[in-house]
Short mmCIF file of all heavy atoms in Angstrom, two decimals:
data_model
loop_
_atom_site.label_atom_id
_atom_site.label_comp_id
_atom_site.label_asym_id
_atom_site.label_seq_id
_atom_site.Cartn_x
_atom_site.Cartn_y
_atom_site.Cartn_z
N HIS A 1 0.29 -5.48 -5.80
CA HIS A 1 0.23 -4.91 -7.11
C HIS A 1 -0.02 -5.96 -8.16
O HIS A 1 -0.79 -5.72 -9.17
CB HIS A 1 1.52 -4.12 -7.44
CG HIS A 1 1.56 -2.75 -6.81
ND1 HIS A 1 2.40 -1.75 -7.18
CD2 HIS A 1 0.82 -2.22 -5.78
CE1 HIS A 1 2.26 -0.69 -6.41
NE2 HIS A 1 1.27 -0.95 -5.57
N ALA A 2 0.58 -7.13 -8.01
CA ALA A 2 0.36 -8.19 -8.94
C ALA A 2 -1.07 -8.64 -8.92
O ALA A 2 -1.69 -8.95 -9.94
CB ALA A 2 1.33 -9.39 -8.67
N CYS A 3 -1.67 -8.75 -7.68
CA CYS A 3 -3.03 -9.19 -7.57
C CYS A 3 -3.99 -8.18 -8.20
O CYS A 3 -5.08 -8.62 -8.71
CB CYS A 3 -3.40 -9.33 -6.08
SG CYS A 3 -2.59 -10.73 -5.29
N ARG A 4 -3.61 -6.96 -8.30
CA ARG A 4 -4.48 -5.93 -8.92
C ARG A 4 -4.15 -5.77 -10.43
O ARG A 4 -4.76 -4.94 -11.09
CB ARG A 4 -4.31 -4.57 -8.22
CG ARG A 4 -4.87 -4.50 -6.87
CD ARG A 4 -6.42 -4.52 -6.95
NE ARG A 4 -6.96 -3.28 -7.48
CZ ARG A 4 -7.81 -3.19 -8.47
NH1 ARG A 4 -8.27 -4.27 -9.06
NH2 ARG A 4 -8.20 -2.03 -8.94
N GLY A 5 -3.24 -6.58 -10.95
CA GLY A 5 -2.98 -6.57 -12.36
C GLY A 5 -2.14 -5.43 -12.86
O GLY A 5 -2.17 -5.07 -14.06
N LEU A 6 -1.31 -4.89 -11.98
CA LEU A 6 -0.53 -3.70 -12.41
C LEU A 6 0.71 -4.04 -13.13
O LEU A 6 1.44 -3.19 -13.63
CB LEU A 6 -0.10 -2.85 -11.12
CG LEU A 6 -1.26 -2.18 -10.46
CD1 LEU A 6 -0.76 -1.45 -9.20
CD2 LEU A 6 -2.00 -1.22 -11.38
N TYR A 7 0.99 -5.40 -13.30
CA TYR A 7 2.12 -5.80 -14.08
C TYR A 7 1.78 -6.50 -15.38
O TYR A 7 2.60 -7.03 -16.11
CB TYR A 7 3.01 -6.81 -13.25
CG TYR A 7 3.49 -6.20 -11.95
CD1 TYR A 7 3.30 -6.89 -10.75
CD2 TYR A 7 4.19 -5.06 -11.96
CE1 TYR A 7 3.76 -6.34 -9.53
CE2 TYR A 7 4.62 -4.48 -10.73
CZ TYR A 7 4.43 -5.14 -9.54
OH TYR A 7 4.89 -4.60 -8.37
N ARG A 8 0.44 -6.51 -15.72
CA ARG A 8 0.04 -7.12 -16.95
C ARG A 8 0.56 -6.26 -18.16
O ARG A 8 0.52 -5.00 -18.09
CB ARG A 8 -1.46 -7.17 -17.05
CG ARG A 8 -2.05 -8.18 -16.01
CD ARG A 8 -3.56 -8.18 -16.09
NE ARG A 8 -4.09 -9.03 -15.08
CZ ARG A 8 -5.39 -9.18 -14.78
NH1 ARG A 8 -6.25 -8.42 -15.42
NH2 ARG A 8 -5.83 -10.01 -13.87
N PRO A 9 0.95 -6.93 -19.21
CA PRO A 9 1.51 -6.18 -20.38
C PRO A 9 0.33 -5.32 -20.90
O PRO A 9 -0.80 -5.78 -21.06
CB PRO A 9 1.83 -7.31 -21.34
CG PRO A 9 2.08 -8.52 -20.52
CD PRO A 9 1.15 -8.39 -19.36
N ARG A 10 0.67 -4.07 -21.27
CA ARG A 10 -0.28 -3.18 -21.87
C ARG A 10 0.32 -2.48 -23.03
O ARG A 10 1.54 -2.24 -23.07
CB ARG A 10 -0.84 -2.18 -20.83
CG ARG A 10 -1.70 -2.76 -19.78
CD ARG A 10 -2.11 -1.72 -18.76
NE ARG A 10 -1.03 -1.43 -17.87
CZ ARG A 10 -1.06 -0.43 -16.94
NH1 ARG A 10 -2.19 0.31 -16.82
NH2 ARG A 10 -0.06 -0.17 -16.19
N LEU A 11 -0.47 -2.04 -23.97
CA LEU A 11 0.06 -1.31 -25.17
C LEU A 11 0.28 0.16 -24.83
O LEU A 11 1.18 0.76 -25.36
CB LEU A 11 -0.94 -1.45 -26.30
CG LEU A 11 -1.11 -2.87 -26.88
CD1 LEU A 11 -2.09 -2.81 -28.07
CD2 LEU A 11 0.20 -3.47 -27.31
N SER A 12 -0.54 0.75 -23.93
CA SER A 12 -0.39 2.16 -23.59
C SER A 12 -0.41 2.33 -22.10
O SER A 12 -1.33 2.88 -21.54
CB SER A 12 -1.54 2.94 -24.25
OG SER A 12 -1.58 2.78 -25.63
N PRO A 13 0.63 1.88 -21.41
CA PRO A 13 0.67 2.02 -19.95
C PRO A 13 0.83 3.47 -19.56
O PRO A 13 1.48 4.27 -20.25
CB PRO A 13 1.90 1.20 -19.54
CG PRO A 13 2.78 1.20 -20.76
CD PRO A 13 1.86 1.20 -21.95
N SER A 14 0.24 3.84 -18.47
CA SER A 14 0.28 5.19 -17.96
C SER A 14 0.44 5.24 -16.42
O SER A 14 -0.37 4.63 -15.77
CB SER A 14 -0.95 5.96 -18.39
OG SER A 14 -1.03 7.21 -17.73
N ALA A 15 1.43 5.94 -15.96
CA ALA A 15 1.60 6.04 -14.47
C ALA A 15 0.48 6.79 -13.87
O ALA A 15 0.05 6.46 -12.74
CB ALA A 15 2.97 6.76 -14.21
N LEU A 16 -0.05 7.83 -14.50
CA LEU A 16 -1.16 8.61 -13.98
C LEU A 16 -2.43 7.78 -13.89
O LEU A 16 -3.20 7.92 -12.95
CB LEU A 16 -1.40 9.90 -14.82
CG LEU A 16 -0.28 10.92 -14.77
CD1 LEU A 16 -0.63 12.09 -15.68
CD2 LEU A 16 -0.07 11.46 -13.32
N THR A 17 -2.63 6.92 -14.84
CA THR A 17 -3.78 6.07 -14.80
C THR A 17 -3.72 5.09 -13.66
O THR A 17 -4.75 4.76 -13.01
CB THR A 17 -3.91 5.25 -16.14
OG1 THR A 17 -4.07 6.14 -17.20
CG2 THR A 17 -5.12 4.33 -16.12
N ASP A 18 -2.51 4.62 -13.36
CA ASP A 18 -2.30 3.68 -12.24
C ASP A 18 -2.31 4.37 -10.90
O ASP A 18 -2.37 3.68 -9.87
CB ASP A 18 -0.99 2.94 -12.41
CG ASP A 18 -0.97 2.05 -13.63
OD1 ASP A 18 -2.06 1.64 -14.11
OD2 ASP A 18 0.14 1.69 -14.11
N ALA A 19 -2.15 5.70 -10.83
CA ALA A 19 -1.97 6.44 -9.54
C ALA A 19 -3.09 6.16 -8.54
O ALA A 19 -2.78 5.86 -7.35
CB ALA A 19 -1.78 7.93 -9.85
N PRO A 20 -4.38 6.19 -8.89
CA PRO A 20 -5.36 5.96 -7.90
C PRO A 20 -5.32 4.56 -7.27
O PRO A 20 -5.50 4.43 -6.05
CB PRO A 20 -6.70 6.15 -8.65
CG PRO A 20 -6.37 7.02 -9.79
CD PRO A 20 -4.98 6.67 -10.20
N THR A 21 -5.03 3.54 -8.10
CA THR A 21 -4.88 2.21 -7.59
C THR A 21 -3.70 2.10 -6.67
O THR A 21 -3.75 1.51 -5.61
CB THR A 21 -4.75 1.21 -8.75
OG1 THR A 21 -5.88 1.33 -9.61
CG2 THR A 21 -4.66 -0.23 -8.22
N VAL A 22 -2.57 2.64 -7.10
CA VAL A 22 -1.36 2.62 -6.31
C VAL A 22 -1.58 3.30 -4.99
O VAL A 22 -1.12 2.80 -3.88
CB VAL A 22 -0.20 3.27 -7.05
CG1 VAL A 22 1.06 3.43 -6.18
CG2 VAL A 22 0.19 2.44 -8.32
N CYS A 23 -2.26 4.52 -4.99
CA CYS A 23 -2.49 5.18 -3.72
C CYS A 23 -3.38 4.41 -2.81
O CYS A 23 -3.15 4.33 -1.57
CB CYS A 23 -3.06 6.56 -4.04
SG CYS A 23 -3.31 7.63 -2.65
N GLY A 24 -4.46 3.82 -3.33
CA GLY A 24 -5.35 3.05 -2.49
C GLY A 24 -4.71 1.88 -1.86
O GLY A 24 -4.93 1.58 -0.67
N LEU A 25 -3.86 1.15 -2.66
CA LEU A 25 -3.17 0.02 -2.08
C LEU A 25 -2.12 0.42 -1.04
O LEU A 25 -1.94 -0.30 -0.05
CB LEU A 25 -2.50 -0.78 -3.18
CG LEU A 25 -3.44 -1.48 -4.23
CD1 LEU A 25 -2.61 -2.11 -5.33
CD2 LEU A 25 -4.30 -2.50 -3.55
N ALA A 26 -1.47 1.55 -1.25
CA ALA A 26 -0.49 2.05 -0.27
C ALA A 26 -1.22 2.42 1.03
O ALA A 26 -0.68 2.13 2.12
CB ALA A 26 0.22 3.28 -0.87
N LEU A 27 -2.38 3.03 0.93
CA LEU A 27 -3.13 3.35 2.14
C LEU A 27 -3.49 2.14 2.93
O LEU A 27 -3.29 2.10 4.18
CB LEU A 27 -4.40 4.13 1.74
CG LEU A 27 -5.30 4.57 2.90
CD1 LEU A 27 -4.55 5.53 3.83
CD2 LEU A 27 -6.57 5.24 2.37
N VAL A 28 -4.01 1.13 2.31
CA VAL A 28 -4.38 -0.10 2.99
C VAL A 28 -3.13 -0.75 3.62
O VAL A 28 -3.13 -1.22 4.77
CB VAL A 28 -5.04 -1.13 2.06
CG1 VAL A 28 -5.28 -2.46 2.71
CG2 VAL A 28 -6.41 -0.51 1.56
N GLN A 29 -2.05 -0.79 2.83
CA GLN A 29 -0.79 -1.38 3.32
C GLN A 29 -0.23 -0.69 4.57
O GLN A 29 0.10 -1.34 5.55
CB GLN A 29 0.19 -1.38 2.16
CG GLN A 29 1.58 -1.94 2.52
CD GLN A 29 2.61 -1.78 1.43
OE1 GLN A 29 2.23 -1.52 0.27
NE2 GLN A 29 3.84 -1.87 1.74
N TRP A 30 -0.22 0.61 4.54
CA TRP A 30 0.34 1.36 5.67
C TRP A 30 -0.55 1.32 6.90
O TRP A 30 -0.06 1.24 8.04
CB TRP A 30 0.63 2.82 5.31
CG TRP A 30 1.91 2.92 4.55
CD1 TRP A 30 2.14 3.11 3.23
CD2 TRP A 30 3.18 2.85 5.13
NE1 TRP A 30 3.41 3.15 2.92
CE2 TRP A 30 4.18 2.99 4.07
CE3 TRP A 30 3.67 2.69 6.42
CZ2 TRP A 30 5.51 2.98 4.29
CZ3 TRP A 30 5.07 2.65 6.65
CH2 TRP A 30 5.96 2.80 5.55
N ILE A 31 -1.84 1.31 6.72
CA ILE A 31 -2.72 1.22 7.83
C ILE A 31 -2.56 -0.15 8.55
O ILE A 31 -2.44 -0.27 9.78
CB ILE A 31 -4.20 1.38 7.43
CG1 ILE A 31 -4.44 2.87 7.08
CG2 ILE A 31 -5.14 0.95 8.60
CD1 ILE A 31 -5.85 3.08 6.51
N ALA A 32 -2.48 -1.22 7.73
CA ALA A 32 -2.29 -2.59 8.30
C ALA A 32 -0.89 -2.62 8.98
O ALA A 32 -0.81 -3.25 10.12
CB ALA A 32 -2.39 -3.58 7.18
N ALA A 33 0.13 -2.18 8.36
CA ALA A 33 1.45 -2.16 8.93
C ALA A 33 1.53 -1.46 10.27
O ALA A 33 2.11 -1.90 11.29
CB ALA A 33 2.47 -1.73 7.99
N ALA A 34 0.99 -0.23 10.28
CA ALA A 34 1.04 0.61 11.46
C ALA A 34 0.23 -0.04 12.56
O ALA A 34 0.71 -0.05 13.76
CB ALA A 34 0.52 2.01 11.17
N GLU A 35 -0.93 -0.60 12.31
CA GLU A 35 -1.73 -1.25 13.35
C GLU A 35 -1.01 -2.48 13.94
O GLU A 35 -0.98 -2.65 15.15
CB GLU A 35 -3.10 -1.64 12.75
CG GLU A 35 -3.96 -2.25 13.75
CD GLU A 35 -4.46 -1.32 14.86
OE1 GLU A 35 -4.37 -0.10 14.67
OE2 GLU A 35 -4.94 -1.78 15.94
N ALA A 36 -0.43 -3.27 13.06
CA ALA A 36 0.28 -4.48 13.55
C ALA A 36 1.45 -4.07 14.42
O ALA A 36 1.73 -4.70 15.46
CB ALA A 36 0.70 -5.31 12.35
N LEU A 37 2.26 -3.13 13.98
CA LEU A 37 3.41 -2.77 14.74
C LEU A 37 3.09 -2.08 16.06
O LEU A 37 3.82 -2.25 17.10
CB LEU A 37 4.35 -1.84 13.90
CG LEU A 37 5.19 -2.54 12.87
CD1 LEU A 37 5.90 -1.47 11.96
CD2 LEU A 37 6.24 -3.39 13.52
N THR A 38 2.04 -1.30 16.08
CA THR A 38 1.58 -0.64 17.34
C THR A 38 1.19 -1.71 18.36
O THR A 38 1.56 -1.59 19.53
CB THR A 38 0.45 0.30 17.07
OG1 THR A 38 0.85 1.28 16.14
CG2 THR A 38 -0.03 0.96 18.34
N ARG A 39 0.50 -2.74 17.89
CA ARG A 39 0.09 -3.77 18.89
C ARG A 39 1.35 -4.58 19.34
O ARG A 39 1.30 -5.15 20.41
CB ARG A 39 -0.92 -4.72 18.19
CG ARG A 39 -2.28 -4.07 17.98
CD ARG A 39 -3.29 -5.01 17.32
NE ARG A 39 -4.57 -4.37 17.15
CZ ARG A 39 -5.53 -4.35 18.13
NH1 ARG A 39 -5.29 -4.92 19.33
NH2 ARG A 39 -6.66 -3.79 17.94
N TYR A 40 2.32 -4.70 18.43
CA TYR A 40 3.54 -5.48 18.75
C TYR A 40 4.37 -4.68 19.81
O TYR A 40 4.85 -5.24 20.79
CB TYR A 40 4.33 -5.76 17.54
CG TYR A 40 5.70 -6.40 17.82
CD1 TYR A 40 5.78 -7.68 18.26
CD2 TYR A 40 6.84 -5.63 17.62
CE1 TYR A 40 7.03 -8.27 18.44
CE2 TYR A 40 8.07 -6.16 17.84
CZ TYR A 40 8.21 -7.52 18.30
OH TYR A 40 9.40 -8.07 18.52
N ASP A 41 4.52 -3.38 19.53
CA ASP A 41 5.39 -2.62 20.43
C ASP A 41 4.92 -1.13 20.23
O ASP A 41 4.99 -0.55 19.18
CB ASP A 41 6.87 -2.72 20.06
CG ASP A 41 7.80 -2.12 21.18
OD1 ASP A 41 7.38 -1.19 21.85
OD2 ASP A 41 8.93 -2.62 21.26
N SER A 42 4.52 -0.51 21.37
CA SER A 42 3.97 0.85 21.25
C SER A 42 5.04 1.93 20.84
O SER A 42 4.72 2.97 20.40
CB SER A 42 3.43 1.27 22.65
OG SER A 42 4.40 1.21 23.63
N ARG A 43 6.30 1.50 20.94
CA ARG A 43 7.37 2.44 20.49
C ARG A 43 7.31 2.72 18.99
O ARG A 43 7.81 3.73 18.51
CB ARG A 43 8.74 1.85 20.83
CG ARG A 43 9.07 1.85 22.33
CD ARG A 43 10.41 1.19 22.55
NE ARG A 43 10.50 -0.12 21.98
CZ ARG A 43 11.65 -0.85 21.85
NH1 ARG A 43 12.82 -0.24 22.19
NH2 ARG A 43 11.64 -2.04 21.31
N TYR A 44 6.68 1.78 18.26
CA TYR A 44 6.64 1.93 16.83
C TYR A 44 5.30 2.55 16.35
O TYR A 44 4.96 2.50 15.18
CB TYR A 44 6.77 0.53 16.15
CG TYR A 44 8.07 -0.13 16.43
CD1 TYR A 44 8.13 -1.44 16.89
CD2 TYR A 44 9.27 0.53 16.26
CE1 TYR A 44 9.31 -2.08 17.16
CE2 TYR A 44 10.51 -0.09 16.58
CZ TYR A 44 10.51 -1.38 17.01
OH TYR A 44 11.67 -2.01 17.24
N ALA A 45 4.58 3.15 17.30
CA ALA A 45 3.29 3.75 16.95
C ALA A 45 3.52 4.90 15.92
O ALA A 45 4.44 5.66 15.98
CB ALA A 45 2.61 4.31 18.17
N VAL A 46 2.61 5.03 14.92
CA VAL A 46 2.68 6.05 13.86
C VAL A 46 1.42 6.83 13.93
O VAL A 46 0.32 6.36 13.97
CB VAL A 46 2.82 5.33 12.49
CG1 VAL A 46 2.84 6.36 11.37
CG2 VAL A 46 4.07 4.42 12.42
N GLY A 47 1.60 8.17 13.91
CA GLY A 47 0.51 9.04 13.91
C GLY A 47 -0.17 9.17 12.49
O GLY A 47 0.45 8.82 11.49
N TRP A 48 -1.35 9.77 12.46
CA TRP A 48 -2.05 9.92 11.16
C TRP A 48 -1.28 10.81 10.26
O TRP A 48 -1.30 10.63 8.99
CB TRP A 48 -3.48 10.45 11.47
CG TRP A 48 -4.39 9.37 11.88
CD1 TRP A 48 -4.84 9.18 13.15
CD2 TRP A 48 -4.92 8.31 11.09
NE1 TRP A 48 -5.66 8.05 13.22
CE2 TRP A 48 -5.74 7.53 11.95
CE3 TRP A 48 -4.89 8.00 9.74
CZ2 TRP A 48 -6.45 6.39 11.51
CZ3 TRP A 48 -5.56 6.89 9.29
CH2 TRP A 48 -6.33 6.11 10.21
#
């Protein structure tokens, strides 16, 4: 989130404006985490 500038001071911050960025970053984060854990131990496999 810091790399995407979501903590920069703003005069008119909006949670709805940030929502698409937050959702996209969450998707990338969970796909990477699920793939890494599945390769580490199949017990931690996560379905779509």
Side-chain angles (χ1 to χ4, degrees):
H1 281 196
C3 291
R4 289 290 291 128
L6 292 178
Y7 301 127
R8 292 177 183 172
R10 288 178 288 174
L11 295 181
S12 302
S14 169
L16 291 178
T17 300
D18 294 339
T21 303
V22 171
C23 184
L25 293 176
L27 179 61
V28 173
Q29 177 185 343
W30 277 104
I31 289 176
E35 181 67 19
L37 281 173
T38 301
R39 290 181 179 274
Y40 173 72
D41 192 332
S42 58
R43 292 178 301 169
Y44 300 130
V46 177
W48 282 104

